[in-house]
Amino acid sequence: MSDQADPPGPPAFHLDGRLYVREMQNWKAVIKRDFAKLYCHAKTPGEDFYHLLTGGELYLDNGESKLCLNCAVRTGVLTTDRQHWQREPKPTDVRIVPNEDVGL
């Protein structure tokens, strides 16, 4: 028997690390290509400041907000659930009830 550690390589079990955007029409993935100050638009719980996005970081942008991937997952913009679109509640139809039917 040998006391050598296993050779480096992929583990026997690989976790699926893919992320999915719930509202894909609204968001785009961006690579920050410079080191100019740019802030994530969500605060980390327990902190009272916005944190910086750094050069080379992937983030989401919807034209109004920019979110680091951690905040996007935490706020529900991103999910690891590959079939989220099948499991999420469907929007319900809003039924207009005339005022006389509700006693107004």
Side-chain angles (χ1 to χ4, degrees), residues 34-79:
D34 59 24
F35 290 94
K37 283 189 178 182
L38 182 65
Y39 292 90
C40 177
H41 289 178
K43 294 178 183 176
T44 304
E47 296 179 350
D48 62 348
F49 57 89
Y50 296 99
H51 49 277
L52 284 170
L53 300 170
T54 190
E57 183 173 356
L58 294 171
Y59 66 93
L60 294 183
D61 186 343
N62 72 355
E64 295 178 13
S65 297
K66 292 163 182 40
L67 293 175
C68 71
L69 298 185
N70 286 340
C71 288
V73 169
R74 185 175 41 77
T75 58
V77 172
L78 285 178
T79 181

Side-chain angles (χ1 to χ4, degrees), residues 6-15:
D6 290 335
F13 175 74
H14 176 69
L15 213 50

